Amino acid sequence: MSKVKRDKEGIPDNAIKMTAGLSLTEKCNLKCKHCYIGEKDLWFEKGYKPKEITIEQIEKLIPKLHQVNVKRINFGGGEVPLHKDFILIAKKLNNAGFDIGLTTNGTTFEIYRDYLHLFNDIGVSIDFPDERHSKWRGRKNVFKRAVKTLEKLVESNIRTEMNTCIMNVNYETLPQLYKLAKDIGVDMWRLNRFHSSKNDALRFGADNLPKTKGCRINNNLSCSIEQLKETFEYLASVTPRNQNYAIPDPLFRTYVNGKGVVRGSPSGKIAFRIMSDGGITPNVFTDQIAGNIFSDELSEIVQGEVFSQYQKRTPSGKCIGCASYNNCEGGDKTDSYLIKGNMNSPDPYCFLDTKKRNDFKSIKFEDTKFVHETYLGTIYVPIKNG
């Protein structure tokens, strides 16, 4: 009998490769209207102090990540470079062999300008094609700074993404945003549809939130089904027929007959988030905390009951008999949970023809180039080589 090959950490070569989101800090220098982390006015009102992970905790965290075969880490926030030990932590994780992605608002470039070699890719958020972006994020000149940061990253030949959150207030500007991405020359345009998260409900308890806010943050920004369909139609028009990259968003992947690393969404299957207090969640937008990385065994957390809901979904409603179910597996579980309160409910934004069959096309984890190809339910549109 041949021996199972293992890597230097003792992990079998055929073990599932995973991606972890890491929220080093909840601190941020902006006040974005669509922030999924939490509403800053509510934090101030309740005297809440943003949490962050220490460099000492990172040293304890690294071996636990290796044990569950994490290969990639995405720094999300807060604005992560504001952490006082950001560069030291990035160095430690880089030296430990992780591919690191950074998602940033583009205003902190000077902090990591001389350390670009530590990152696999860097994505800068731009949600409007002009100064409306600055007004939306609550600070002057944010748009110009974000564009300038992307231009410098492109000049440095690092893998770059322009990141856009799809909302009912900006979906009509996507053609202009696409042109902006082209003008800057980024590698990829990464888009995520807006999710009205439960992070403040998790933080303060749903019963302690003002009734006007409810459990979910800024739920008035979600697109309608018709608006999302219009968005998908446009994005499909600028998506190449032959793709050499993964599209994690299960609905859009099915719509354009694209490729994916896993069926359905990566969340809870090959991806999870580490919150700033060490909490582990399969989905950063929900209130589902499965354990704490500093007090519990990570291997047990990712195999536990909370994660199993993402790994074993049962079709219901329009998903029963859908010709493409084995590809999208009911769509994005995020809104099934947030809006319908049922993980097995069909994605409430699904408009796909259930009679049209688009089979799952697999792409290997190691053949993807960007961290988010194996992380959130993301839409990718290639720009530089599209």
Side-chain angles (χ1 to χ4, degrees), residues 26 35-39 43 77-78 197 199-200 203 217 273 284:
E26 293 176 331
C35 180
Y36 68 92
I37 295 297
E39 293 189 69
W43 291 11
S197 87
N199 279 316
D200 275 341
R203 192 171 280 116
I217 300 172
R273 179 68 166 251
V284 69

Side-chain angles (χ1 to χ4, degrees), residues 235-280:
L235 295 177
S237 74
V238 292
T239 295
R241 290 184 179 272
N242 298 315
Q243 303 155 26
N244 62 350
Y245 58 93
I247 300 176
D249 183 292
L251 275 187
F252 188 73
R253 181 180 66 236
T254 304
Y255 185 67
V256 299
N257 200 23
K259 298 179 179 179
V261 176
V262 293
R263 301 174 191 274
S265 170
S267 296
K269 289 186 173 182
I270 61 170
F272 60 90
R273 179 68 166 251
I274 304 170
M275 309 293 275
S276 298
D277 61 358
I280 300 293

Side-chain angles (χ1 to χ4, degrees), residues 154-167:
V154 169
E155 291 173 4
S156 301
N157 293 317
I158 187 172
R159 291 191 183 105
T160 51
E161 303 170 335
M162 188 178 88
N163 306 332
T164 298
C165 181
I166 304 167
M167 302 170 281

Side-chain angles (χ1 to χ4, degrees), residues 66-86:
H66 282 314
Q67 287 170 8
V68 298
N69 207 26
V70 169
K71 298 296 184 183
R72 294 172 171 170
I73 292 175
N74 180 74
F75 283 132
E79 178 63 7
V80 184
L82 294 177
H83 192 293
K84 65 182 180 65
D85 294 318
F86 174 63

Side-chain angles (χ1 to χ4, degrees), residues 39-290:
E39 293 189 69
K40 304 305 189 305
D41 287 345
L42 186 62
W43 291 11
F44 180 78
E45 175 187 325
K46 291 184 174 293
Y48 178 78
K49 295 182 179 180
K51 294 181 174 65
E52 61 182 27
I53 294 174
T54 67
I55 193 167
E56 292 79 16
Q57 288 175 316
I58 290 293
E59 292 171 350
K60 296 177 181 179
L61 179 149
I62 288 173
K64 292 191 175 188
L65 295 179
H66 282 314
Q67 287 170 8
V68 298
N69 207 26
V70 169
K71 298 296 184 183
R72 294 172 171 170
I73 292 175
N74 180 74
F75 283 132
E79 178 63 7
V80 184
L82 294 177
H83 192 293
K84 65 182 180 65
D85 294 318
F86 174 63
I87 297 301
L88 286 175
I89 290 172
K91 286 180 177 179
K92 283 184 178 292
L93 294 173
N94 179 270
N95 290 337
F98 300 109
D99 291 332
I100 303 172
L102 169 63
T103 300
T104 170
N105 61 34
T107 66
T108 56
F109 179 72
E110 298 303 314
I111 294 173
Y112 54 89
R113 175 188 59 191
D114 298 328
Y115 302 95
L116 299 181
H117 62 282
L118 298 176
F119 303 98
N120 177 80
D121 55 79
I122 298 179
V124 179
S125 298
I126 298 183
D127 299 304
F128 291 90
D130 47 42
E131 277 300 318
R132 281 175 290 177
H133 177 73
S134 302
K135 185 176 181 180
W136 187 257
R137 290 185 172 249
R139 187 173 172 182
K140 293 182 179 179
N141 297 319
V142 172
F143 175 70
K144 292 179 181 178
R145 293 181 70 179
V147 169
K148 188 173 182 180
T149 293
L150 274 174
E151 289 173 342
K152 290 179 178 178
L153 291 172
V154 169
E155 291 173 4
S156 301
N157 293 317
I158 187 172
R159 291 191 183 105
T160 51
E161 303 170 335
M162 188 178 88
N163 306 332
T164 298
C165 181
I166 304 167
M167 302 170 281
N168 58 22
V169 293
N170 73 339
Y171 79 100
E172 292 181 313
T173 70
L174 295 184
Q176 291 77 41
L177 283 163
Y178 177 69
K179 181 180 183 303
L180 176 65
K182 282 278 192 183
D183 290 344
I184 297 172
V186 298
D187 292 294
M188 285 284 193
W189 187 19
R190 169 160 64 88
L191 303 100
N192 294 80
R193 57 166 136 152
F194 173 79
H195 297 293
S196 183
S197 87
K198 281 192 173 184
N199 279 316
D200 275 341
L202 175 64
R203 192 171 280 116
F204 303 116
D207 294 338
N208 296 318
L209 292 180
K211 291 183 179 180
T212 54
K213 296 183 181 299
C215 290
R216 297 188 293 117
I217 300 172
N218 299 324
N219 58 2
N220 61 309
L221 297 177
S222 297
C223 288
S224 66
I225 294 178
E226 293 74 20
Q227 290 169 339
L228 189 66
K229 182 180 180 181
E230 184 177 333
T231 295
F232 275 24
E233 288 172 347
Y234 172 71
L235 295 177
S237 74
V238 292
T239 295
R241 290 184 179 272
N242 298 315
Q243 303 155 26
N244 62 350
Y245 58 93
I247 300 176
D249 183 292
L251 275 187
F252 188 73
R253 181 180 66 236
T254 304
Y255 185 67
V256 299
N257 200 23
K259 298 179 179 179
V261 176
V262 293
R263 301 174 191 274
S265 170
S267 296
K269 289 186 173 182
I270 61 170
F272 60 90
R273 179 68 166 251
I274 304 170
M275 309 293 275
S276 298
D277 61 358
I280 300 293
T281 177
N283 190 330
V284 69
F285 301 103
T286 72
D287 56 356
Q288 300 165 302
I289 298 298

